[in-house]
Amino acid sequence: MRVFQVEGAWGIEHLKMSARPDPKPGPGQVLLRMRASSINYRDPIVPLKAYGSQSGELPLIPVSDGVGDVIEIGAGVTRVKVGDRACPAYFQTWISGEPNANRLTQSLGGPLDGTMAEFMCLSEEGVVKVPEYLTNFEASTLPCAALTAWSALVECGHIRPGEQLLIQGSGGVALFALQFAKMLGAHVTVISSSDEKIERVKAMGADETINYIETPEWGKAARALTDGRGFDHILEVGGEKTLPQSLRCIRPGGTLSMIGILSGAAMSTSLGLIITRQVRLQGITVGHRDGLEAMIRAMSQHEIHPMIDRVFDFEALKESFEYIKTGQQFGKICISHG
Ligand SMILES: NC(=O)c1ccc[n+]([C@@H]2O[C@H](COP(=O)([O-])OP(=O)(O)OC[C@H]3O[C@@H](n4cnc5c(N)ncnc54)[C@H](OP(=O)(O)O)[C@@H]3O)[C@@H](O)[C@H]2O)c1
């Protein structure tokens, strides 16, 4: 089968089109003919071995997210049948419940082989059926970015109607969070670097917006939007530079979902505020398979369509990696498997 893989040595120059034997499903396994993949922030970093132990061993097929047609099933498989479409879960062994060391290490696209292959052979426990209303490109975006937003707001955040949520940026995770939060009846403020993107998030239902380039000290302005009460929940994708602003506008007892470190990984903030405001810092790392299924049920109920920015051909994987690094995209970047 045709694959993209990092082979011989780490480095983007060692990411190449290559071939591997076609896989055959054993008992309890499912064979997917891959139809589409989608790119996350992490995918261009893994081939550089810059994602710690999650980069895994070589050769490695990159990219965690995708969707395929079930074309063969092994003995005893009941979760899917031939002809279904299914997404591989990001964490193959985190089915439900609390995370543990094993559950958080078995992720696709590093250390396990990812979706940039013609076929994937997976345990039936590690795949989730996708509904008909989603296109292949839309379905390919669900396992990481969408589930991360869902885990932050629903599984860990328990967000309720009328709560005030602040979302940082208009990236993949952020736009899913906006869609889910509106579905759940929350009041949503989005901060973005771009007036054009601000218009687009308003069209998607954002109630309030702030341009964080024009207002670098946006914490005070954001708090004012809540009549001084502060936000019940903030989705942190910035980290080092944004956390101090978030602490200025979170309400006492509010939750900060720690998702990304786009502005740096160090903690350079007043820890006292976290204590005196009894703020909850909740780390989020994607989520479990049962969460993915619950999210897909909710999306189906409301016919939520992921926002797709652009589609690249299979052969143009490296171009898609360059594109995600520009930050120009509004929504997900997908790969067509042809
Ligand atoms: N913890 C997890 O499980 C998990 C899962 C997925 C992703 N992540 C992480 O979450 C982050 C975002 O991922 P993504 O897939 O959504 O990325 P993405 O689609 O590339 O989006 C990045 C967006 O973040 C916004 N941004 C960047 N710097 C910012 C800052 N200083 N303040 C506010 N917003 C800022 C920008 O929005 P504007 O263009 O609107 O300014 C940018 O477009 C990454 O660090 C990624 O590694 C974590």
Side-chain angles (χ1 to χ4, degrees):
M1 65 171 174
R2 194 170 69 134
V3 301
F4 244 106
Q5 64 182 11
V6 188
E7 55 187 33
W10 293 99
I12 205 74
E13 66 279 22
H14 301 291
L15 175 60
K16 296 176 181 146
M17 291 269 284
S18 191
R20 287 201 194 179
D22 287 356
K24 184 87 188 141
Q29 288 186 323
V30 171
L31 185 65
L32 299 180
R33 178 191 292 277
M34 299 309 291
R35 291 298 184 197
S37 293
S38 75
I39 306 301
N40 285 291
Y41 190 82
R42 139 194 207 268
D43 296 321
I45 300 172
V46 168
L48 312 178
K49 205 172 176 40
Y51 212 79
S53 58
Q54 281 200 17
S55 285
E57 303 288 328
L58 297 180
L60 176 79
I61 300 173
V63 179
S64 63
D65 288 7
V67 67
D69 296 329
V70 177
I71 58 167
E72 201 178 334
I73 55 175
V77 168
T78 55
R79 282 178 48 78
V80 290
K81 60 182 187 319
V82 171
D84 286 342
R85 284 186 310 160
C87 285
Y90 179 93
F91 287 121
Q92 283 288 295
T93 58
W94 190 9
I95 305 303
S96 197
E98 292 289 310
N100 63 34
N102 173 276
R103 291 169 175 178
L104 293 185
T105 49
Q106 302 301 302
S107 49
L108 297 180
L112 306 181
D113 282 326
T115 63
M116 286 301 290
E118 217 172 333
F119 304 105
M120 284 185 91
C121 192
L122 299 156
S123 161
E124 69 162 332
E125 294 298 335
V127 300
V128 166
K129 248 167 47 169
V130 296
E132 280 181 12
Y133 85 93
L134 293 172
T135 66
N136 283 333
F137 296 128
E138 290 171 339
S140 75
T141 68
L142 302 179
C144 178
L147 182 56
T148 300
W150 177 264
S151 299
L153 297 183
V154 180
E155 298 283 343
C156 299
H158 310 295
I159 201 153
R160 287 179 299 183
E163 286 195 332
Q164 292 265 4
L165 168 72
L166 183 136
I167 296 172
Q168 294 176 358
S170 60
V173 177
L175 293 186
F176 279 115
L178 171 58
Q179 290 176 301
F180 297 156
K182 293 315 296 178
M183 175 183 82
L184 295 161
H187 183 279
V188 182
T189 298
V190 176
I191 65 165
S192 172
S193 59
S194 147
D195 286 341
E196 193 193 324
K197 290 180 178 181
I198 280 176
E199 288 311 312
R200 297 187 70 178
V201 295
K202 280 185 188 164
M204 290 176 70
D207 299 285
E208 305 280 358
T209 54
I210 297 174
N211 183 319
Y212 66 80
I213 301 294
E214 284 168 11
T215 313
E217 301 282 309
W218 49 264
K220 193 173 167 203
R223 173 174 282 276
L225 294 174
T226 66
D227 287 335
R229 178 175 171 271
F231 289 88
D232 299 288
H233 202 132
I234 297 180
L235 251 62
E236 258 294 334
V237 299
E240 185 171 341
K241 301 253 164 43
T242 50
L243 187 56
Q245 296 303 316
S246 292
L247 284 171
R248 292 186 75 173
C249 60
I250 190 81
R251 75 161 166 84
T255 298
L256 282 163
S257 282
M258 306 299 294
I259 291 172
I261 46 172
L262 291 167
S263 68
M267 185 94 164
S268 57
T269 195
S270 164
L271 294 174
L273 276 179
I274 297 170
I275 299 163
T276 54
R277 291 201 181 153
Q278 202 170 310
V279 170
R280 186 159 70 110
L281 260 62
Q282 171 70 62
I284 299 290
T285 181
V286 189
H288 49 64
R289 186 208 72 191
D290 282 359
L292 182 60
E293 284 184 333
M295 177 193 85
I296 289 173
R297 280 195 296 275
M299 288 180 73
S300 302
Q301 182 80 17
H302 295 266
E303 288 231 355
I304 289 180
H305 289 270
M307 180 65 71
I308 308 294
D309 176 83
R310 191 166 158 186
V311 177
F312 287 82
D313 289 338
F314 188 85
E315 298 74 15
L317 177 64
K318 286 189 190 179
E319 284 87 327
S320 75
F321 282 180
E322 287 307 310
Y323 182 60
I324 197 172
K325 286 192 260 171
T326 67
Q328 291 167 18
Q329 70 277 9
F330 186 82
K332 297 297 294 179
I333 300 163
C334 296
I335 303 284
S336 169
H337 285 239

